Amino acid sequence: MTRIHDMGGRFGHGPVKPSTLRSPKFEEPWHARALALTLAAGALGRWNQDSSRHSRERLPPNDYARFSYYEKWLAALAELLVQRNIVSKDELSAPESLPQQPLDGNALKGPEVAGALAKIEPTARKTGHQPRFRAGRLVRTRRPSGNMLVSGGHTRLPAYAAGCLGTVVRCHGSHVLPDSNAHFRGEAPEPLYAVSFESSELWGNSNSSSNDEIVLDLWESYLIPTD
């Protein structure tokens, strides 16, 4: 069963409205504060990008459906702060009474934000693992699409692509495996591939165009050889 956040390929949500994609970056003043708070807390060094994504995915379905974009960010951040024993739920309810925290000095400061945003967090790793697949190789994604290391855990294999046939376009080298890293089980880097799918393979002939192609970046453990 997929979680509510894995919405790719689902019907009934209406068309994408391009006008909404060109709206201001922050529609409300507090949106900017939510982003700033998330960035500042991320610099505490108590979680990683994958665990942060997983925290948003784990929001209760009713909350996920009704929360706005930045409400999801704040709710997930609160969960991480409690989960990683930085603050308690009681302290979150009365933040004005919070004492000085040992990790306060690690928080990202205003003058450092521009540099932090411009810096891409590297996930490439050098390993002795040779890529199993070469460009042009036919592969099939595994089914089910869930995390094979942690039941109900984070994964970057979307449900709509599970069990589908695709062609390897290129290998990006070895990268941190989100399925492991999100759960603090180590980076477990493995080869990452760009895999091309015909739209009909993902959506069916009645909901696709023969000219459409979808390219997904998928880790080696997501893929199964066809022979």
Side-chain angles (χ1 to χ4, degrees), residues 9 22 30 36 47 56 65 72 81 91 94 101 115 118 135 162 179-180:
R22 293 192 293 268
W30 69 267
W47 56 79
R56 290 191 281 274
K72 292 181 177 71
L81 289 168
E91 288 171 330
Q101 299 292 315
D179 305 50
S180 177

Side-chain angles (χ1 to χ4, degrees), residues 148-162:
M148 302 298 287
L149 303 174
V150 179
S151 179
H154 177 66
T155 185
R156 300 292 283 174
L157 173 57
Y160 67 79

Side-chain angles (χ1 to χ4, degrees), residues 3-220:
R3 289 199 175 100
I4 188 172
H5 77 277
D6 196 357
M7 301 175 70
R10 296 183 187 179
F11 298 98
H13 296 285
V16 174
K17 299 178 180 179
S19 61
T20 63
L21 302 179
R22 293 192 293 268
S23 59
K25 184 179 297 184
F26 303 115
E27 295 181 346
E28 301 289 343
W30 69 267
H31 292 177
R33 293 178 63 84
L35 174 60
L37 184 60
T38 302
L39 291 174
L44 298 176
R46 298 300 297 271
W47 56 79
N48 55 60
Q49 187 178 57
D50 296 312
S51 57
S52 182
R53 286 194 179 112
H54 184 53
S55 184
R56 290 191 281 274
E57 295 169 358
R58 290 188 295 111
L59 292 174
N62 288 340
D63 289 340
Y64 194 96
R66 69 185 178 89
F67 282 174
S68 66
Y69 181 77
Y70 283 110
E71 283 177 321
K72 292 181 177 71
W73 278 45
L74 287 177
L77 176 59
E79 179 65 25
L80 276 172
L81 289 168
V82 174
Q83 177 190 359
R84 303 300 291 169
N85 298 316
I86 296 175
V87 297
S88 67
K89 290 184 178 180
D90 290 338
E91 288 171 330
L92 280 178
S93 300
E96 65 280 353
S97 62
L98 277 174
Q100 186 80 13
Q101 299 292 315
L103 293 173
D104 283 354
N106 294 0
L108 192 66
K109 306 301 190 297
E112 302 167 342
V113 171
L117 289 177
K119 180 181 178 181
I120 299 176
E121 183 177 352
T123 62
R125 298 291 184 270
K126 291 184 178 180
T127 70
H129 187 110
Q130 294 300 312
R132 185 179 184 184
F133 307 114
R134 295 183 180 277
R137 178 71 183 273
L138 286 176
V139 292
R140 189 175 295 278
T141 54
R142 70 172 188 238
R143 183 190 292 274
S145 62
N147 188 314
M148 302 298 287
L149 303 174
V150 179
S151 179
H154 177 66
T155 185
R156 300 292 283 174
L157 173 57
Y160 67 79
C164 293
L165 188 67
T167 302
V168 173
V169 177
R170 62 168 294 181
C171 179
H172 298 299
S174 291
H175 286 255
V176 173
L177 178 65
D179 305 50
S180 177
N181 198 42
H183 302 281
F184 308 101
R185 296 167 65 102
E187 294 186 338
E190 61 181 50
L192 175 68
Y193 303 89
V195 182
S196 170
F197 298 88
E198 293 183 3
S199 60
S200 59
E201 179 71 12
L202 301 183
W203 319 125
N205 291 324
S206 61
N207 300 300
S208 61
S209 167
S210 59
N211 296 322
D212 291 341
E213 174 192 35
I214 296 90
V215 179
L216 302 176
D217 284 337
L218 302 172
W219 276 261
E220 190 169 274

